[in-house]
Amino acid sequence: MTDEELVRRWKQGDMQAFDELYTRYKDDAYRVACLVTGNCSDGEDLTQEAFVTCAQSISSLRDGSKFRPWLLKTLTRLAWKYCRKKRRETPEAELIGTGQEESALSAVLRTDEQKRLYNALYTLDEKRRTAVILYYYNELSVHEIAEATGVIEGTVKSRLFSARRHLRQALTDNTEEAKEAVNHG
């Protein structure tokens, strides 16, 4: 069943349609929320908050086929608001998880290189970080990111270009520091 059909049924009071949309997009939304905020617990809360916000304003969604970008736009704005409000760092251990359980992000953070990339990602402001997350981790197109964030495609391209340049520099700096530490250690 398409998003458009599910949204139409949801608007008519069919809560199974809502459940289907939730099941379809909760993992993508959670990944975005965790990566933007840097905190899995807050990512879970923001994912739920985004779905609640969408549920409360479902009547305002005119084109049901645009549910996913609408959800992601709602989520990214909530995450940006959270980031501006909290302005805090989360210990990497919280994102990686402990013991036998594997958090949603631990798969992303398995190697040292991935950890360095993750750390570099958090040196970006939340708007550039969101563009990178949506493009590389959720595999959205520039057009879809523009819809999800409420900006024009040129702005998305600019944010991605700037983020890539910044990440390249941050990763190069980290590599040089690591080499220097080994040589002097």
Side-chain angles (χ1 to χ4, degrees):
M1 191 169 292
T2 67
D3 287 357
E4 190 169 19
E5 293 167 323
L6 289 170
V7 168
R8 183 181 41 75
R9 287 181 42 205
W10 181 11
K11 286 180 175 182
Q12 295 169 349
D14 182 352
M15 289 312 292
Q16 278 189 309
F18 168 80
D19 291 343
E20 175 64 29
L21 286 166
Y22 178 79
T23 300
R24 190 174 287 181
Y25 296 118
K26 68 180 167 76
D27 292 338
D28 283 349
Y30 176 68
R31 181 175 41 252
V32 169
C34 289
L35 288 168
V36 171
T37 64
N39 183 302
C40 290
S41 176
D42 292 332
E44 188 174 329
D45 292 344
L46 285 169
T47 299
Q48 290 175 3
E49 187 176 343
F51 275 99
V52 167
T53 300
C54 288
Q56 292 172 337
S57 57
I58 190 65
S59 61
S60 69
L61 181 61
R62 295 195 177 151
D63 183 355
S65 68
K66 304 283 187 188
F67 178 77
R68 184 176 186 225
W70 184 60
L71 168 68
L72 291 174
K73 182 176 185 176
T74 302
L75 177 66
T76 56
R77 294 194 179 204
L78 288 169
W80 291 347
K81 183 178 177 182
Y82 167 85
C83 288
R84 282 189 300 273
K85 183 178 177 187
K86 294 295 180 183
R87 293 276 188 227
R88 64 185 169 106
E89 294 289 324
T90 301
E92 188 176 292
E94 179 182 333
L95 290 165
I96 294 174
T98 57
Q100 304 261 332
E101 68 186 50
E102 185 170 342
S103 74
L105 293 179
S106 61
V108 175
L109 300 175
R110 284 191 192 133
T111 68
D112 288 338
E113 185 175 310
Q114 289 167 326
K115 289 176 187 176
R116 287 187 318 110
L117 177 60
Y118 173 81
N119 289 333
L121 186 64
Y122 280 87
T123 64
L124 297 171
D125 64 87
E126 63 263 1
K127 291 183 180 182
R128 290 186 298 163
R129 183 169 61 238
T130 301
V132 168
I133 291 164
L134 293 174
Y135 189 78
Y136 290 104
Y137 291 89
N138 280 41
E139 300 178 354
L140 269 64
S141 68
V142 169
H143 177 75
E144 291 169 318
I145 296 169
E147 286 183 336
T149 57
V151 299
I152 61 173
E153 290 181 32
T155 301
V156 173
K157 289 177 183 178
S158 174
R159 287 177 182 170
L160 286 170
F161 177 80
S162 172
R164 285 184 200 112
R165 187 177 60 221
H166 180 87
L167 289 171
R168 188 177 307 115
Q169 183 63 47
L171 292 171
T172 301
D173 291 348
N174 285 342
T175 302
E176 294 303 319
E177 288 173 15
K179 286 178 184 175
E180 193 172 304
V182 168
N183 291 335
H184 289 48

